[in-house]
Amino acid sequence: MSTVTLKNLVKDYPNGFRAITDLSLHLDDGEFLVLVGPSGCGKSTALRMIAGLEDITSGDIYVGDRRLNDVAPKDRDMAMVFQNYALYPQMTVAENIAFPLKLRRVPRAEREAQVRQAAEILELTEQLEKKPAHLSGGQRQRVAMGRAIVRHPALFLMDEPLSNLDAKLRVQMRADIAGIQRELGVTTFYVTHDQVEAMTMGDRVAVIKDGILQQVDTPEGIYGSPDNVFVAAFIGSPSMNLYEATLERHEEAGGDRYSVVLGDQRLAVPSEVVAERPALTEHLNRPVVVGIRPEHLEDAAVVADHPDDQRLDATVDVREALGAETLVHFNLSAPSVDSGDPDALDELRDSGRCTARFSASSTARVGDRARVNVDARHLHFFDRQTHLAIRS
């Protein structure tokens, strides 16, 4: 059984830079946890601390009940899969996979049996006598995984292993790695900057920014209920649309009604949305941050049966026909909110840009004045000052 616990990890460098601040995580036995964040956020540093390749300033690392802070990397019972494969070019596939076993002086017959077993799992049986130069990128990554598998480690550490592959191969390898991990049942700590990898591979996803853990949850939990503006914008492609808005309440004979004012437009907010988030009533008549995911915006010409007070008027600026769907970009007069993602395009900040995921049947064209249905049941609300989600 191999649980992993990180307790209040801190990493300071001699120049005073703090890469990791108070990082605490727990991985259950056999769990696949993905640590995701933008470039330079500290995720690879965290992985290297677990591996013993970076000194810990403070905090503790445990595998099971064993504290690893002062244990040498070679004695930590971990296998690492790197971004650049790190294969020996002069060795065959079989020799590369067997190398860790050879270092441990495992008898030749046992080595060969374990290599054959790993090759079957990884579909490399026909490649065992080839050198790395004669393999595709995906096959090389499989060899690197094979070398990790034969060690039978307590923990797999994977540092952006798919970054050097083309887009089509990354899709295939995502599924393959996740399937292999499930088959082997080895606890896995996977680091990536690609939120699609995180969402499709992990049992749970941990989002990190500037060395500080932002949220840990299932992929569905992270996507459907982000804890703050950064997570809301970082997870999801296209990104969540985020605007400054004002929440208003209107007293009517049938009961209170609510709406948000987005620039020069107003959207009705279903009463159940406010009931599910009682804290929203504390933000009445003052600015909040409202988030709308692109899939919750649809061309009103496609779906006519929609409340008229939950629609926006927009002029189409850009149209991207993707076959199964159409991405439509337009501008709102409401100011956009900076999510804090350093990789976000500066020209999109404060532009009021909005992205909608329309059905493929939408006929909206650039320059058209369109009515846009908003599924207001799925609006997200955040505090304007703290950028934290407004809930109970």
Side-chain angles (χ1 to χ4, degrees), residues 379-391:
L379 292 176
H380 297 261
F381 294 88
F382 305 90
D383 186 281
R384 182 172 174 263
Q385 300 300 320
T386 66
H387 279 195
L388 297 177
I390 302 171
R391 292 179 182 142

Side-chain angles (χ1 to χ4, degrees), residues 208-283:
I208 189 171
K209 172 179 178 284
D210 297 333
I212 300 172
L213 188 64
Q214 303 293 307
Q215 186 174 356
V216 187
D217 205 339
T218 62
E220 297 81 5
I222 288 271
Y223 189 82
S225 188
D227 281 352
N228 57 47
V229 164
F230 173 78
V231 175
F234 188 77
I235 298 296
S237 181
S239 180
M240 183 185 288
N241 303 292
L242 293 157
Y243 307 99
E244 281 195 14
T246 303
L247 178 65
E248 296 183 348
R249 178 168 57 194
H250 315 277
E251 295 182 3
E252 297 183 4
D256 291 343
R257 295 176 63 85
Y258 298 88
S259 63
V260 289
V261 179
L262 288 162
D264 58 2
Q265 302 196 62
R266 183 185 299 274
L267 276 177
V269 178
S271 56
E272 60 266 26
V273 171
V274 178
E276 291 168 358
R277 303 166 179 81
L280 273 177
T281 58
E282 301 171 12
H283 295 261

